[in-house]
């Protein structure tokens, strides 16, 4: 099922879309671990599960398509396969699109991908909207395109206005659903969606939430995402800095409260970055299931 159709059905029912993100294991010998996690996650009855693209964008070692197809076949859960382009040639993209189509995958998340310092990039694509155009050109009827967005602005964007303009390019290139980068301050999301609507961007926007339950996640997560930390969040971290069990519980409570506020204020979707930890995602789901 196409993801925009899911959003439309949920909108008519007055409910938000609930989705999850998982990532392929680094070693193929650990492939069963992802299905063990998904089997546990299935209890949450997500509307879809997205599968991130392999590190570095190497299609020879990429298992995104295989995992997304198997989740759909084994558990009857709709999937979204991520596809990055900064380290891909047009031939690479063509190969992946053919794999998706042959595997009955109907939804693709078009992303530029991270630029890794010191690593060669192909330079045939510079931005996600260029990838979206290529997907549209190759199979406009078969694959629905999703895109990423950044409530606090992309870290490479010179201004909020420029960032919104780039999103308009994505929409023009065929992106029909947006999923946000993680954030910890809901006010950022509300202001961002207001800016989108003011700019004439009307596609559904799902709020990306990452529960922080370990001290080791904090520095890395903030460094990668650029997300600002509201006082309530930093206070939680300071209080449970040396209490791993307390931080786990507080992190779940923070994510639940964040999700509940978003839903109660009209968020169209909640997208949980699971980090392949099913119990964390299940705990958050249990705290919001009455709103789903």
């Amino acid at each position: 099922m196409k993801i925009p159709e899911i959003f439309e059905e949920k909108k008519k029912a007055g409910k938000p879309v609930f989705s999850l993100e998982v990532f392929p294991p680094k070693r193929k010998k650990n492939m069963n671990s992802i299905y063990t996690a998904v089997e546990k996650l299935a209890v949450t009855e997500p509307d879809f599960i997205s599968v991130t693209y392999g590190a570095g964008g190497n299609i020879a070692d990429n298992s995104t398509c295989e995992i997304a197809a198997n989740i759909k076949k084994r558990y009857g859960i709709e999937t979204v396969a991520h596809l990055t382009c900064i380290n891909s040639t047009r031939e690479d993209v063509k190969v992946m699109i053919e794999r998706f189509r042959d595997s009955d995958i109907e939804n693709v998340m078009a992303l530029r991908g991270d630029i890794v310092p010191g690593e060669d990039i192909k330079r045939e694509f510079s931005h996600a909207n260029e990838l979206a155009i290529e997907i549209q050109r190759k199979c406009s009827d078969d694959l629905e395109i999703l895109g990423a967005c950044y409530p606090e602005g992309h870290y490479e964007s010179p201004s909020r206005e420029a960032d919104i303009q780039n999103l308009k390019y994505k929409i023009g290139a065929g992106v029909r659903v947006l999923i946000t980068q993680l954030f910890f301050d809901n006010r950022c999301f509300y202001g961002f969606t207001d800016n989108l609507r003011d700019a004439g961007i009307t596609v559904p926007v799902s709020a990306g939430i990452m529960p922080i339950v370990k001290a080791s996640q904090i520095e890395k997560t903030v460094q990668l995402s650029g997300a600002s930390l509201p006082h309530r969040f930093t206070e939680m971290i300071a209080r449970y800095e040396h209490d791993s069990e307390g931080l786990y519980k507080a992190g779940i409570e923070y994510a639940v409260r964040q999700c509940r506020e978003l839903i109660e204020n009209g968020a169209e979707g909640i997208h949980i970055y699971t980090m392949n930890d099913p119990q964390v995602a299940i705990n958050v789901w249990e705290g919001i299931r009455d709103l789903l």
Side-chain angles (χ1 to χ4, degrees):
M1 187 175 187
K2 304 292 182 68
I3 302 304
E5 295 173 8
I6 293 176
F7 272 90
E8 188 61 34
E9 286 188 0
K10 288 288 187 171
K11 182 178 180 180
K12 290 178 181 177
K15 300 292 183 180
V17 169
F18 178 71
S19 57
L20 307 168
E21 180 176 290
V22 298
F23 57 84
K26 290 183 179 179
R27 296 182 177 87
K28 288 201 172 185
K29 67 179 183 180
N30 297 328
M31 191 68 74
N32 283 339
S33 66
I34 192 69
Y35 301 120
T36 300
V38 171
E39 188 165 345
K40 294 177 181 178
L41 289 168
V43 71
T44 69
E45 298 182 328
D47 292 297
F48 67 87
I49 292 178
S50 70
V51 184
T52 67
Y53 203 59
N58 184 342
I59 67 168
D61 299 325
N62 196 281
S63 55
T64 301
C65 180
E66 175 187 344
I67 293 170
N70 282 334
I71 289 174
K72 189 171 181 178
K73 291 174 185 175
R74 294 185 188 183
Y75 307 103
I77 300 171
E78 190 53 72
T79 54
V80 175
H82 288 212
L83 179 60
T84 64
C85 64
I86 195 67
N87 287 319
S88 299
T89 64
R90 293 190 184 278
E91 183 60 27
D92 291 337
V93 169
K94 178 183 176 182
V95 169
M96 287 307 303
I97 289 174
E98 289 174 353
R99 285 186 191 175
F100 294 152
R101 295 170 73 178
D102 291 343
S103 301
D104 195 32
I105 291 171
E106 298 180 86
N107 304 284
V108 176
M109 183 87 163
L111 303 162
R112 184 194 71 176
D114 296 328
I115 298 177
V116 180
E119 186 174 291
D120 290 335
I121 57 177
K122 300 294 195 300
R123 298 190 181 279
E124 290 191 32
F125 298 94
S126 298
H127 304 286
N129 66 293
E130 296 171 4
L131 174 59
I133 291 171
E134 189 72 5
I135 295 171
Q136 283 275 82
R137 183 179 296 133
K138 291 288 189 295
C139 51
S140 59
D141 296 329
D142 297 330
L143 292 176
E144 203 67 75
I145 307 172
L146 290 76
C149 58
Y150 304 83
E152 299 180 67
H154 192 282
Y155 66 94
E156 294 179 9
S157 183
S159 67
R160 173 58 63 87
E161 292 73 22
D163 200 48
I164 296 295
Q165 183 58 53
N166 287 333
L167 284 177
K168 293 182 81 170
Y169 293 147
K170 285 187 182 181
I171 304 306
V175 169
R176 294 189 60 202
V177 171
L178 293 170
I179 298 177
T180 79
Q181 172 64 278
L182 63 92
F183 59 92
F184 301 107
D185 188 340
N186 286 355
R187 292 173 298 179
C188 295
F189 180 81
Y190 303 142
F192 172 69
T193 51
D194 285 345
N195 290 339
L196 290 186
R197 303 320 181 203
D198 290 343
I201 296 174
T202 60
V203 300
V205 180
S206 198
I209 302 297
M210 180 183 286
I212 300 297
V213 296
K214 298 177 184 177
S216 59
Q217 290 179 283
I218 299 166
E219 183 176 352
K220 183 178 181 181
T221 298
V222 173
Q223 181 182 15
L224 290 175
S225 68
S228 60
L229 305 180
H231 176 70
R232 182 159 57 92
F233 184 88
T234 56
E235 187 177 52
M236 175 189 77
I237 299 304
R239 181 176 181 181
Y240 297 105
E241 182 179 4
H242 304 294
D243 179 1
S244 58
E245 185 177 339
L247 179 57
Y248 185 96
K249 293 179 180 178
I252 295 295
E253 290 173 2
Y254 190 97
V256 167
R257 181 175 173 183
Q258 195 178 2
C259 291
R260 291 189 71 88
E261 289 178 357
L262 288 163
I263 294 170
E264 289 166 353
N265 283 281
E268 297 161 283
I270 298 293
H271 187 71
I272 304 294
Y273 295 105
T274 72
M275 301 304 293
N276 288 12
D277 187 330
Q279 193 55 54
V280 169
I282 290 168
N283 288 341
V284 174
W285 168 75
E286 287 176 340
I288 64 173
R289 61 189 299 186
D290 60 305
L291 300 178
L292 300 176

